[in-house]
Amino acid sequence: MSRYVTTTVAAAAATLLLAGCEPGAKMSTQTGFRGTGLEQIVDVSSIKEATALPPEPYPLPPDGGPTAAQTYQNVKVLGAVSAERFNHLMASITQWVAPPEQGCNYCHNPENMASDEKYTKIVARRMLQMTQTINSRWSSHVQKTGVTCYTCHAGNAVPLNVWAVAQNSLGTGTIRGNKRGQNTPDPNVGYASLPSDPFAAYFQGKGNIRVASDQALASPNHVVSIKDAEASYGLMMHVSTALGVNCTYCHNSQSFRAWNLSRAQRGTAYYGIRMVRDVNENYITSLASVFPANRKGPQGDPYKVNCTTCHQGLPKPLGGRSMIAQAPSLKGPDMLTAAPEVGPAEAIPAAFRDPSSMTDKTEPSPTATQK
C-alpha cells in the first residue's frame, strides 16, 4: 500500500514539474558562429503571424496643387502638404484609428471641421508630430520601414497594448502585505517573481539598465547595484515577450553585457528604449490635461506605450512590412538621428580593449553605424 502511495505521489510530482515546462515542437535557428551561444529556440505553437494590412482607401494622388493650409482652416501640422494628399491621409487615419460607426466625427465636429472642440483632434495632431519624429529622429530604430498610425492602433481607437502606473506602485506606507510590486506572477514579466512594473522606471523615467558589476552596491564607478538587476531583468522579460524572441536575439550568452559580442539587434533595441521614453514623456504625458478620465490609469496618468504597443509579439512590427509609402507626409522633416546618450563613438573600441570599463557609468553606447 505504501509503495502504491509513494508511486502515486511521485507521478503527481513529476506531472506538476512538467506542467511548468513548455511541451511541443521547438524551432532552433543559429544566428551566429557555431559555439558562440547564438541560437534562437522558440516554441512553434507560440509563433505569432502578422495580420493582413488594410487596403488603401484609394490610390495615393500625385503631389502638387493647393496646400492643405490654403484649402482648409486651422491646419497646424500638415499645412504644407498638398490638399489632395492631406485628404488621402485623413481617409487613411479614419480607417486606421477611428471607430467605423463614427468615422471623421471621431475627431471632428461635422458642422465645423476646423474646430478643436474634441480632445481627440488635439491628441491626433500631437500624434502626427510624434509619428514624424519617430520616422526621422528615431530612424536608428525604425529604419526605412517607418511607422504609421496603423502600426500601433491596428484599427483600434486606443492601441490594445498600453500601460499606466500600477495601482499599488506608489507604496502603502507600511511593510505589512506590501510586496513592493514583485513576487506575484504577472504577464508583464513572463509570470516571474520579478518586479511586475518595469515600465515607470525605464519607459517613463530614465532608469539605468546597465547592471553588470563586480560590486554588490552602487558606487561612484557604477551607477546601479546588483539588486537593480531584478528590475532590469523584468524589463528584459517584457522586451522578450513583446518581440516573441528569447535573450539571444540581442545578446550573446557568453557575455550578456559585451557590446562587441552582441548582435546588431541589441543596438536597435537600445535606441528603441530611448524612443519609447521620448514618446511617453514628450508626446503622451504632455497631454495629461487633455485626456479624459477614461483614457487614464488608476493613478491618473495617461496610458502610455511600451514595446508590445508596436511589436505585438513580432520581432518586427507588422512583420516588417512598411506602410509609409502610402503616407509620405508622415516621414517628417529631415532631422538629426538621436545620438547615444553616453560617450563618443570612438569610446567603443577603447571599451573593447578594457572590458572592465563596461561595468561603470562611462560604459559606451552603440552607434547607428553598428547595425
Side-chain angles (χ1 to χ4, degrees):
M1 181 65 182
S2 60
R3 185 175 181 180
Y4 173 78
V5 172
T6 302
T7 302
T8 302
V9 171
T15 302
L16 184 62
L17 287 172
L18 288 173
C21 303
E22 290 183 308
K26 303 295 185 296
M27 183 176 68
S28 176
T29 305
Q30 186 172 321
T31 57
F33 293 109
R34 293 180 64 185
T36 57
L38 286 170
E39 281 189 326
Q40 282 287 294
I41 302 174
V42 297
D43 184 346
V44 175
S45 64
S46 66
I47 297 176
K48 288 193 173 182
E49 297 291 336
T51 57
L53 301 181
E56 287 190 72
Y58 56 90
L60 181 70
D63 203 7
T67 66
Q70 293 170 331
T71 308
Y72 303 109
Q73 298 177 358
N74 197 24
V75 181
K76 296 182 178 179
V77 177
L78 301 172
V81 177
S82 71
E84 290 295 331
R85 289 204 167 181
F86 177 84
N87 292 337
H88 180 270
L89 180 60
M90 292 298 108
S92 298
I93 292 176
T94 301
Q95 183 185 53
W96 295 337
V97 177
E101 66 275 13
Q102 297 186 47
C104 305
N105 298 346
Y106 182 63
C107 291
H108 295 277
N109 175 352
E111 303 296 329
N112 180 9
M113 300 288 277
S115 171
D116 286 344
E117 64 190 81
K118 290 196 174 186
Y119 85 92
T120 44
K121 185 181 178 184
I122 306 297
V123 173
R125 184 181 282 148
R126 190 63 176 148
M127 294 300 101
L128 287 172
Q129 295 172 318
M130 178 196 73
T131 305
Q132 291 178 330
T133 298
I134 290 174
N135 288 326
S136 51
R137 183 167 189 262
W138 295 104
S139 58
S140 49
H141 183 70
V142 300
Q143 307 290 324
K144 294 182 179 179
T145 303
V147 298
T148 68
C149 314
Y150 188 80
T151 308
C152 292
H153 283 267
N156 301 287
V158 178
L160 296 179
N161 302 287
V162 293
W163 67 275
V165 177
Q167 180 71 52
N168 299 319
S169 63
L170 301 183
T172 61
T174 175
I175 61 174
R176 185 176 183 181
N178 188 346
K179 295 183 178 180
R180 301 296 173 186
Q182 61 185 101
N183 298 322
T184 299
D186 192 288
N188 284 341
V189 292
Y191 296 100
S193 61
L194 297 165
S196 59
D197 182 18
F199 307 133
Y202 297 115
F203 284 160
Q204 186 176 30
K206 295 184 177 179
N208 202 311
I209 306 172
R210 301 183 181 97
V211 296
S213 175
D214 55 2
Q215 301 175 20
L217 304 175
S219 71
N221 292 325
H222 187 70
V223 292
V224 294
S225 70
I226 290 177
K227 178 179 179 299
D228 290 306
E230 286 189 316
S232 286
Y233 288 163
L235 177 68
M236 292 299 106
M237 291 297 289
H238 160 71
V239 174
S240 177
T241 304
L243 275 64
V245 299
N246 55 41
C247 307
T248 53
Y249 187 72
C250 291
H251 295 272
N252 187 329
S253 57
Q254 182 180 350
S255 174
F256 275 62
R257 70 183 183 184
W259 282 102
N260 60 332
L261 298 179
S262 298
R263 301 186 70 206
Q265 282 80 353
R266 186 182 174 192
T268 304
Y270 172 93
Y271 288 103
I273 290 172
R274 280 130 188 101
M275 180 193 75
V276 170
R277 290 174 177 172
D278 183 25
V279 166
N280 286 333
E281 180 177 351
N282 296 315
Y283 294 94
I284 296 180
T285 301
S286 61
L287 290 172
S289 62
V290 176
F291 282 107
N294 67 330
R295 293 295 169 86
K296 296 179 179 178
Q299 302 288 352
D301 59 309
Y303 287 109
K304 293 171 279 293
V305 304
N306 56 27
C307 302
T308 311
T309 309
C310 285
H311 283 268
Q312 301 172 33
L314 299 170
K316 294 182 179 179
L318 305 180
R321 295 167 295 175
S322 177
M323 298 175 68
I324 198 67
Q326 70 180 74
S329 55
L330 293 181
K331 290 180 179 178
D334 291 336
M335 191 180 297
L336 285 177
T337 303
E341 293 178 352
V342 182
E346 56 270 25
I348 295 176
F352 291 162
R353 291 192 296 271
D354 178 18
S356 64
S357 67
M358 293 186 181
T359 66
D360 64 26
K361 62 184 178 183
T362 62
E363 176 187 356
S365 308
T367 66
T369 56
Q370 272 197 294
K371 296 173 174 53

